[in-house]
Amino acid sequence: MTAAVIAGFAAGLAGTIPAVADESPDPAAEQYRPYLHFSPERNWMNDPNGMVYDDGTWHLFFQHNPSGTRWGNMSWGHATSTDLVHWEQQPLTIPQTFDENGTAIEDIFSGSVVIDEQNTSGFGTAENPPMVAVYTSAYTPAHPTLAGRQAQSLAYSLDHGQTWTKYEGNPVYDRASANFRDPKVFRYTNPETGESYWVMAAVEALQYKVVLSRSDDLKTWTHLSDFGPANAAGGIWECPDLFPLAVDGDPANTKWVMVVNLNPGSVAGGSGGQYFVGEFDGTTFTSESTVADGAVPAGDLFAGFDDGTWGDWAVGNEPGNWANGPWGTAPAPGTLPGQNTVSGFIGVGLVNGFNDFDWPVGALESPTFTIDKPFVNLLVGGGNHPHVDGTQLGNEPPAGRLLFDGFEFPDGTTLADTGWAATGDFAIDPSRSPSTQGGDYYIGQKRINTFESGPYGDTNLGDLTSPAFTIQPGENHLSFLLGGGKRFDGTLEARLLVDSEVVRTAYGPEGGALNWQSWDVAEFAGSDAQLQIHDEATGGWGHLTVDHLVLGAEPALPRSEETSVSLVVDGEVVRTATGRNSENLDWVSWNVAEFAGHEASVRIVDNNRFGWGHVLVDQVMFSDVAAEPRIEAYDWLDWGRDYYATVSFGNAPDGRRVTLGWMNNWDYANDIPTGSWRSANTLPRDVRLLSTPEGPRLAQQVVPEFAELEQTDLAYTDASRPIADGAETLPVSGDVVRIDAVLRPGDAEAVGLSVLGDDEASTRIGYDAASGRLFVDRRDSGNTGFHPAFASLDDAPVALSDDGTIALSLYVDRSSVEVFTADGRTTITDQVFPNAGADAIGLWADGDGATLESLTVTPLHGAMYKEAGVDDATGAPAAAEVSALTGPRSGPDADGDYVVKVKVAKGQPTTVVRLVEDGSVIGRVYRSAESERVVEFSITDAAPGEHRYSVELENSAGTTDGGSLIVRVAG
């Protein structure tokens, strides 16, 4: 669980998140619902917790908000599986804690579960050892004695994880810290002495440390050692793991792997996971893969900011700021007051826009210079707010006709007095509108704010509808300032009404800052229109703030929110960079060869007042070679944007090490456009260590159990042919598929595949031959506008094989892609939100000379919510005949060993047959058109008594109740 989330969302979300309506949609019918990946049936999920294998069952616990679809009310959800593929959600496991007044005093943050086989905790017995959860108690400000602390606590189960009891002696490990969390506990046995004890790996998140501790009984803990800071330390460290792996499968050569997730500051931006390989002696982990910062790249230093002055740079601090922010009167010596530790800069000075924290805005520009080398290299850190062309640094309205006097009515004049109609809570007290409270970047003193327009704050409900106004010819755009909450379901939006019909809508940014939005209204010239502010939303940010509506020929320019450093040539920004929401500076390189001989300058802009609203810059250099980013030398679990909080299952059988991650990113996690739920997990992966020239490194593959979902009889293959310059759509489609391809770039600049496509958009997976990088490009993948950080091209360095090819394996699942290459050494995992119905698959090349060596597209059965996969059904299956072979012709079965037989009907295909007992699926069979009509389920060791079975039949058109059966077992 990330502290950044708590800081960013607690005020707007915690304790006020609206419950999802009781009448939820069918999960299988929701547009972006994954069918292969686990996602909760309803509500919010983040970090996987407590993953453990116990007596034939894989247990997945997870951070869960049982009351809403955004982060808050942290508790542990629970799901179980017998095969790592099909998951059954269980009841809420460990809920947040409330006092006698119903006030939340403890949130249940991330942690782990162990099987205490020796009953060291005393919670169980030798015959019935307990399952013990070790989790972080995040004590809320309402807690009477531990407010604001994070400490480790215990809960235990004596019925294999179905019910849980919190230990009355909690917390068991308190370091009086506000950021000590995410315990991963395992049993360690000294190979030389045989001594055995529990080891906990937890984090001091803001110190970039993994804290190792030991215990004999899980209740009393002793500090062993700390690991870190090391490698990526730009955000905060979270969710550690520590485990041994045999190198190349040789048990005589074992190394230990330390996993450290961090947010933000990952290689793709935002949340991600890094790892270290080394040795653990029971006390200390020693990394053998930590990377030194390395030498400064060769080149001519233009600006090092080390002489204590700004020299000839033009300094634009915000007028009147008491700290001369954002830049100060001289370069910063390093970390500024109130700032987390700044690292990665060189020398004794740097540009640091954190004077007076994130609030002040301004620009800093270098003297001009002549570009005479092909590269500009520089160190950059700070906020991830890129420069966007077509924006303004100010907040100027467009030219045009101001409607409603910008709400600057004389004091005492209300919206109702000027002809606005109010309904619901907004009609209770008309004097509340317009408001003089709330929001940032409004113009004047008054605006509409639905938080203030009724007596109930974010729970106000109703409409505010303007009097009619006529859109004149030439008034092609209606522009306005809008802030407040973001809802995708139409419950919170600004609306343009023409003839009482909603013709345009807009929603807020989920924040208080108002920014310009514009509607193209040229088609309504001569029509009467109305503005309506519709608010049926409750919970955090359940309001809108609106100001300064202008009808004019041109749209308003949105206000830039950048924290950027840019190269300016002939007055135009031609290259730009921003930080990674990280206080660590890293190398950025601009290829500027095309501008040789031109006059240029470096412009640094901080136009953001809010979270990560500052920029860090150092060591501007001109060079003949590009600087290599330090961050790419570190070892990453995944190079995509959506692979976080990754840890491994404990107690896995057969020496397996299976990992699972949260398929989301804190940059935009609360805004992804899903329906009754938010977030999914990645597919579970087997990990192993392989020898490389750099030393042992992780390789990953989707667990082999997923092969049972492959519809191999329907697979499409293609091979050994050129790929023409341009794009082609293949004669196969699907949104739940596995794709295996071998591509040869040859003389082409780039080559690849496209998935989840239609005539307007697709997700492109490709290889750029010039840079030697594999990428996933989701910038034009469908719905990308819900958050400015979402649209991205995520890439990783990958060398072609000796024969000049690259082999790819892709798992595509409706709203995600997971890409594996280089024998699993490199992976990229990204969410995507394609247009409805987009399932086209294609090939493309930039340039001639690329070759398709092989291609297999295999449709997959679903694992959750919809399992049928691909068939030619036009209707649901007909009911089946259900019977049992129990031995005796009459009377109960004697030994509990028997066969349940299901004979499916002719006609519509039956693709999946499931056998259900007590509400749980106990067996399933996937069928193809060539399968026998009779499906058999072998039952062994059934308990004495009555067993009630039901059968579910599914195909792509629907699900049918296939029949039921009662079997009695003697006893």
Side-chain angles (χ1 to χ4, degrees):
M1 172 55 58
T2 175
V5 173
I6 300 167
F9 295 106
L13 298 175
T16 60
I17 297 175
V20 174
D22 290 335
E23 295 183 4
S24 292
D26 174 12
E30 295 182 89
Q31 180 178 353
Y32 300 123
R33 176 71 74 172
Y35 292 159
L36 300 178
H37 299 74
F38 173 79
S39 61
E41 182 175 345
R42 294 171 60 180
N43 297 330
W44 168 271
M45 177 184 75
N46 56 288
D47 305 357
N49 299 155
M51 301 188 302
V52 69
Y53 178 84
D54 178 40
D55 193 28
T57 299
W58 300 87
H59 290 265
L60 164 65
F61 302 90
F62 52 90
Q63 291 281 276
H64 187 45
N65 178 2
S67 302
T69 58
R70 287 183 169 90
W71 182 91
N73 309 313
M74 279 295 98
S75 306
W76 273 26
H78 185 201
T80 55
S81 174
T82 58
D83 60 2
L84 287 171
V85 176
H86 305 91
W87 293 92
E88 182 176 341
Q89 191 163 342
Q90 303 293 341
L92 190 69
T93 291
I94 308 177
Q96 64 179 153
T97 305
F98 299 86
D99 65 13
E100 64 276 6
N101 299 316
T103 301
I105 59 174
E106 177 198 25
D107 284 320
I108 312 301
F109 278 12
S110 300
S112 54
V113 169
V114 297
I115 310 302
D116 186 8
E117 296 177 349
Q118 301 175 35
N119 193 31
T120 63
S121 63
F123 292 142
T125 64
E127 295 75 23
N128 186 25
M131 182 182 284
V132 181
V134 189
Y135 61 87
T136 297
S137 292
Y139 296 106
T140 74
H143 195 279
T145 59
L146 298 171
R149 288 193 189 181
Q150 293 182 1
Q152 313 323 313
S153 295
L154 304 179
Y156 61 91
S157 173
L158 301 178
D159 55 6
H160 299 282
Q162 294 307 300
T163 61
W164 291 80
T165 302
K166 294 175 183 175
Y167 175 46
E168 62 183 10
N170 286 336
V172 298
Y173 196 7
D174 181 8
R175 289 165 51 102
S177 169
N179 291 283
F180 176 48
R181 58 178 174 268
D182 306 343
K184 180 62 186 292
V185 175
F186 61 94
R187 192 75 178 170
Y188 175 79
T189 301
N190 188 304
E192 297 179 358
T193 67
E195 182 186 17
S196 183
Y197 48 89
W198 299 104
V199 172
M200 175 193 294
V203 294
E204 282 287 357
L206 300 186
Q207 299 176 23
Y208 314 115
K209 289 183 179 180
V210 176
V211 178
L212 299 176
S213 308
R214 67 165 286 174
S215 175
D216 293 322
D217 61 2
L218 295 171
K219 299 174 181 176
T220 303
W221 291 90
T222 303
H223 178 256
L224 291 172
S225 64
D226 295 337
F227 171 75
N231 287 1
I236 55 177
W237 279 17
E238 296 192 310
C239 301
D241 201 354
L242 181 61
F243 51 83
L245 280 178
V247 179
D248 301 323
D250 179 5
N253 181 16
T254 296
K255 295 290 184 181
W256 285 76
V257 177
M258 172 78 81
V259 170
V260 180
N261 292 273
L262 75 157
N263 172 62
S266 79
V267 67
S271 314
Q274 62 180 327
Y275 70 93
F276 303 83
V277 180
E279 300 285 354
F280 178 61
D281 62 5
T283 300
T284 303
F285 173 76
T286 303
S287 170
E288 299 171 356
S289 61
T290 301
V291 178
D293 280 349
V296 178
D300 299 329
L301 181 64
F302 174 67
F305 308 107
D306 292 328
D307 67 357
T309 74
W310 287 121
D312 294 333
W313 285 64
V315 181
N317 285 317
E318 184 163 11
N321 182 264
W322 71 274
N324 289 313
W327 316 117
T329 58
T335 305
L336 293 174
Q339 187 175 27
N340 289 337
T341 302
V342 174
S343 60
F345 63 97
I346 295 171
V348 296
L350 75 156
V351 176
N352 185 342
F354 198 72
N355 290 279
D356 196 21
F357 306 103
D358 281 329
W359 182 252
V361 298
L364 182 66
E365 187 147 3
S366 77
T368 58
F369 54 88
T370 301
I371 296 175
D372 60 1
K373 290 188 180 294
F375 294 96
V376 175
N377 298 324
L378 63 165
L379 288 168
V380 182
N384 182 13
H385 307 288
H387 169 82
V388 178
D389 289 337
T391 58
Q392 59 168 316
L393 294 182
N395 198 38
E396 297 301 314
R401 176 164 57 112
L402 179 64
L403 299 178
F404 318 122
D405 297 323
F407 306 116
E408 300 300 314
F409 309 138
D411 290 347
T413 301
T414 70
L415 285 181
D417 294 334
T418 64
W420 284 67
T423 65
D425 299 322
F426 306 135
I428 295 174
D429 182 0
S431 69
R432 290 177 171 270
S433 296
S435 172
T436 58
Q437 301 294 319
D440 297 283
Y441 292 107
Y442 49 86
I443 295 177
Q445 297 297 316
K446 299 177 181 180
R447 57 273 191 198
I448 291 177
N449 182 348
T450 65
F451 187 96
E452 304 289 341
S453 296
Y456 308 121
D458 269 331
T459 59
N460 288 325
L461 302 177
D463 290 337
L464 291 167
T465 307
S466 80
F469 55 90
T470 303
I471 300 173
Q472 302 294 339
E475 293 181 334
N476 297 332
H477 298 275
L478 176 59
S479 301
F480 49 94
L481 287 166
L482 182 64
K486 180 186 295 185
R487 300 290 190 272
F488 300 110
D489 57 3
T491 58
L492 186 65
E493 57 189 18
R495 296 171 168 176
L496 182 66
L497 308 182
V498 175
D499 296 331
S500 299
E501 296 292 328
V502 177
V503 297
R504 298 287 188 272
T505 62
Y507 48 74
E510 198 78 358
L514 283 71
N515 208 337
W516 291 104
Q517 296 199 37
S518 298
W519 290 322
D520 186 331
V521 296
E523 67 183 281
F524 305 115
S527 299
D528 287 343
Q530 295 170 283
L531 179 75
Q532 183 178 81
I533 310 303
H534 176 69
D535 186 345
E536 290 295 327
T538 59
W541 293 111
H543 67 275
L544 287 178
T545 308
V546 185
D547 195 16
H548 218 80
L549 288 92
V550 177
L551 274 167
E554 300 296 329
L557 291 178
R559 186 187 65 259
S560 169
E561 298 178 342
E562 67 193 272
T563 52
S564 68
V565 53
S566 300
L567 181 71
V568 180
V569 176
D570 297 329
E572 299 292 329
V573 172
V574 297
R575 299 289 186 270
T576 188
T578 188
R580 301 173 181 266
N581 286 353
S582 167
E583 304 292 17
N584 177 261
L585 289 82
D586 202 356
W587 289 107
V588 168
S589 184
W590 294 326
N591 187 329
V592 296
E594 66 183 283
F595 304 111
H598 287 250
E599 293 292 299
S601 63
V602 172
R603 180 182 299 162
I604 304 172
V605 174
D606 176 354
N607 208 51
N608 194 298
R609 296 192 186 278
F610 303 105
W612 286 105
H614 63 279
V615 61
L616 311 171
V617 179
D618 195 17
Q619 300 294 301
V620 182
M621 304 178 69
F622 307 144
S623 180
D624 292 320
V625 295
E628 295 294 332
R630 298 166 181 153
I631 200 168
E632 294 204 350
Y634 308 150
D635 292 305
W636 296 97
L637 295 173
D638 193 279
W639 290 70
R641 293 274 281 156
D642 296 305
Y643 194 73
Y644 188 58
T646 304
V647 290
S648 64
F649 282 89
N651 203 43
D654 304 321
R656 294 178 72 177
R657 185 60 58 176
V658 181
T659 61
L660 191 69
W662 179 48
M663 195 163 60
N664 215 332
N665 191 304
W666 280 120
D667 278 357
Y668 44 74
N670 279 275
D671 294 327
I672 60 171
T674 53
S676 65
W677 90 104
R678 268 198 177 91
S679 294
N681 286 328
T682 64
L683 297 181
R685 302 178 183 182
D686 277 324
V687 297
R688 63 195 192 280
L689 278 177
L690 299 180
S691 294
T692 75
E694 293 77 31
R697 294 295 185 268
L698 283 181
Q700 308 174 65
Q701 64 179 16
V702 173
V703 295
E705 286 88 340
F706 272 82
E708 72 171 293
L709 301 181
E710 296 178 4
Q711 294 184 271
T712 54
D713 58 313
L714 300 177
Y716 166 86
T717 61
D718 196 356
S720 299
R721 66 176 178 87
I723 304 173
D725 181 23
E728 63 174 292
T729 300
L730 294 171
V732 60
S733 61
D735 60 0
V736 184
V737 297
R738 170 176 172 164
I739 302 176
D740 297 282
V742 178
L743 305 173
R744 185 186 303 277
D747 294 329
E749 295 179 8
V751 63
L753 299 152
S754 61
V755 298
L756 300 172
D758 59 15
D759 292 338
E760 298 179 353
S762 67
T763 299
R764 286 161 52 97
I765 299 99
Y767 186 79
D768 186 299
S771 63
R773 300 180 75 89
L774 172 71
F775 64 84
V776 174
D777 185 355
R778 63 181 186 183
R779 293 173 296 182
D780 188 25
S781 57
N783 186 351
T784 63
F786 57 87
H787 194 282
F790 182 77
S792 64
L793 185 151
D794 303 319
D795 59 353
V798 177
L800 295 175
S801 63
D802 292 342
D803 64 356
T805 63
I806 183 170
L808 305 175
S809 290
L810 285 65
Y811 286 83
V812 179
D813 184 15
R814 306 198 77 220
S815 57
S816 67
V817 292
E818 294 185 63
V819 183
F820 298 77
T821 192
D823 295 324
R825 282 277 293 110
T826 301
T827 66
I828 300 177
T829 300
D830 276 341
Q831 294 181 95
V832 290
F833 299 99
N835 298 330
D839 63 358
I841 300 170
L843 281 171
W844 58 268
D846 292 341
D848 294 320
T851 304
L852 175 67
E853 299 296 314
S854 65
L855 174 69
T856 302
V857 180
T858 306
L860 299 174
H861 290 286
M864 293 191 66
Y865 301 115
K866 188 172 183 179
E867 299 184 19
V870 176
D871 57 35
D872 58 358
T874 58
E881 299 175 15
V882 184
S883 60
L885 298 175
T886 61
R889 291 181 176 273
S890 62
D893 179 76
D895 57 6
D897 296 341
Y898 48 91
V899 175
V900 175
K901 297 177 64 177
V902 180
K903 186 176 183 180
V904 303
K906 294 181 179 180
Q908 294 296 331
T910 299
T911 315
V912 188
V913 181
R914 291 186 291 270
L915 185 65
V916 179
E917 183 179 18
D918 296 329
S920 295
V921 176
I922 64 170
R924 58 169 49 76
V925 173
Y926 295 112
R927 301 182 69 257
S928 68
E930 289 73 35
S931 298
E932 297 290 336
R933 289 180 58 196
V934 175
V935 174
E936 296 186 349
F937 297 95
S938 296
I939 308 297
T940 58
D941 297 326
E946 189 174 86
H947 294 265
R948 294 177 176 268
Y949 300 104
S950 62
V951 172
E952 297 174 350
L953 310 175
E954 183 180 341
N955 62 24
S956 60
T959 301
T960 300
D961 179 356
S964 60
L965 179 72
I966 297 175
V967 176
R968 295 176 178 84
V969 177

